[in-house]
Amino acid sequence: MNAIEHSADHRATALEARFGLRVAARLSEGTDQLPHDVTERLRHARQMALSRRQAASSAQVNAVTNGLSSSATLSFSGGDKGKSWWTSLTVLVPAAALLLGLGLIKHFHLQDQIAAAAEVDAALLADDLPPEAYSDPGFVEYLKTSRE
């Protein structure tokens, strides 16, 4: 959630709280003229509403914390031993596969370099030119211009 959304949520919550306080104040103004049994029923209804709100907010907090703990897949600590072992396995197997893949890529790249060097060496040894001709700067210029 970015700062703008957080600020808008905070403003909406503040407006909601302010509206609730104004409604409660307006309703409390006329309670002096009500009979005792009505005021007791209202008091009981308020207590019930508050307890339901507290239960709902605690259930919401529990749902959020349970959602966070279940979505943390890279955690190696805490929880059940079986879950920790499986979590470790689900992290280590892809890491091992990645390392094996990188090792194979390096191996095949090295084999390609060796094959290319062997091909150049074979061409040099099978050619009619002596090896000193390849180190002559004039011959290098000849090779550059003959390619173009």
Side-chain angles (χ1 to χ4, degrees):
M1 181 183 321
N2 61 25
I4 295 172
E5 290 174 358
H6 181 70
S7 176
D9 287 345
H10 184 66
R11 265 187 263 138
T13 305
L15 284 173
E16 205 173 277
R18 192 177 325 147
F19 177 74
L21 289 174
R22 289 176 65 193
V23 168
R26 183 76 173 144
L27 289 173
S28 296
E29 286 176 4
T31 58
D32 295 337
Q33 291 89 15
L34 293 175
H36 179 68
D37 63 329
V38 174
T39 57
E40 284 302 310
R41 285 188 299 186
L42 286 173
R43 185 185 61 77
H44 181 69
R46 283 186 193 130
Q47 288 176 346
M48 292 290 292
L50 287 174
S51 65
R52 286 182 186 162
R53 181 176 179 191
Q54 288 173 349
S57 66
S58 65
Q60 188 178 28
V61 167
N62 287 339
V64 168
T65 56
N66 287 340
L68 288 177
S69 66
S70 67
S71 66
T73 58
L74 294 177
S75 174
F76 286 107
S77 62
D80 187 18
K81 293 272 187 198
K83 286 183 182 179
S84 176
W85 184 79
W86 279 108
T87 303
S88 299
L89 187 64
T90 59
V91 171
L92 293 177
V93 167
L98 178 66
L99 290 176
L100 180 66
L102 289 174
L104 288 172
I105 290 171
K106 181 179 178 184
H107 173 72
F108 286 123
H109 181 66
L110 183 62
Q111 290 298 323
D112 286 344
Q113 284 181 337
I114 291 171
E119 186 178 328
V120 168
D121 288 346
L124 283 174
L125 293 174
D127 200 6
D128 292 336
L129 290 174
E132 294 85 27
Y134 290 101
S135 63
D136 184 17
F139 184 70
V140 173
E141 286 299 320
Y142 168 74
L143 288 177
K144 286 181 183 177
T145 57
S146 66
R147 288 185 190 168
E148 295 173 2

